[in-house]
Amino acid sequence: GGQTVVTDSTFYSLTFLSQGIANNVSVTPNGQQSRAGGPVYAIQNATVLRYWYLKVKVTDLTGTGIPARIVVTDYLNKTAAIGEANGNGIYLKPLLAEIINSSRTIFVGNYKVGAEYPNYTTRYVPVVLDGNKEASVTFEEYVPVNTTTKLTVSPTTLRVGDAVKIEGSINTAKADEYVE
């Protein structure tokens, strides 16, 4: 009678008898990998929302990970998700891919992914979320990252065997902020 939640699982067959969420759930009939994660069924008045993980790697022209704001939209340009990539430029989020009821399965997993960082934006990349997917978005220029860590090295020109002095500071904007 309640809502059933199934996460990170694989089944030979899966039928929901009540409302439910299937997050990263694959169905492998006869042990064979099926297209789009395999069929999930719902009976009577049950509706199942099927999610897959979207992992986005955002970098600049030099290949450096950027802690950018990630924007995921559907093909009608309606915002589906907004989040922040971590310090390495990685964003991971489960997104809705299918709505399943007793009469049909509606695929809603066509998305576009882009990134924003102050005064910089990427092009949007299409993603068909018919399973767990990885996407890469790249800023087309070097992006100077705002950081709470400052380091200076002197002298700036070195030879093998020279002494180096490294000084730095960490200036966080708020208490208990994680610095990577």
Side-chain angles (χ1 to χ4, degrees):
Q3 179 166 297
T4 303
V5 178
V6 181
T7 302
D8 301 330
S9 302
T10 300
F11 298 91
Y12 289 110
S13 174
L14 181 60
T15 302
F16 282 76
L17 305 177
S18 65
Q19 302 296 95
I21 294 175
N23 185 25
N24 188 31
V25 173
S26 295
V27 178
T28 58
N30 302 323
Q32 301 295 316
Q33 187 69 18
S34 297
R35 185 170 179 259
V40 172
Y41 300 102
I43 63 169
Q44 296 174 355
N45 294 327
T47 298
V48 177
L49 303 178
R50 188 178 204 172
Y51 292 80
W52 293 108
Y53 289 111
L54 174 63
K55 181 179 183 180
V56 179
K57 171 73 174 168
V58 58
T59 58
D60 69 0
L61 184 65
T62 66
T64 302
I66 305 296
R69 180 175 179 246
I70 305 299
V71 179
V72 181
T73 63
D74 63 17
Y75 272 84
L76 299 173
N77 284 328
K78 183 179 174 187
T79 302
I82 295 176
E84 299 291 326
N86 67 16
N88 296 319
I90 303 292
Y91 171 79
L92 181 66
K93 171 115 176 138
L95 289 173
L96 182 63
E98 296 174 328
I99 302 170
I100 304 161
N101 61 36
S102 61
S103 61
R104 64 184 178 163
T105 297
I106 303 166
F107 182 74
V108 294
N110 289 319
Y111 293 106
K112 295 184 287 185
V113 181
E116 302 170 348
Y117 195 74
N119 302 322
Y120 299 92
T121 58
T122 65
R123 291 185 179 161
Y124 278 78
V125 174
V127 175
V128 178
L129 204 60
D130 57 357
N132 292 328
K133 294 289 175 133
E134 291 187 19
S136 294
V137 292
T138 304
F139 292 98
E140 294 182 357
E141 54 193 303
Y142 167 74
V143 177
V145 177
N146 295 331
T147 179
T148 58
T149 306
K150 305 251 188 258
L151 290 175
T152 56
V153 178
S154 59
T156 56
T157 304
L158 300 170
R159 294 189 187 127
V160 175
D162 286 353
V164 174
K165 181 177 180 180
I166 300 174
E167 293 181 304
S169 64
I170 298 174
N171 185 14
T172 60
K174 58 185 177 189
D176 300 323
E177 182 177 355
Y178 176 73
V179 177
E180 187 171 314

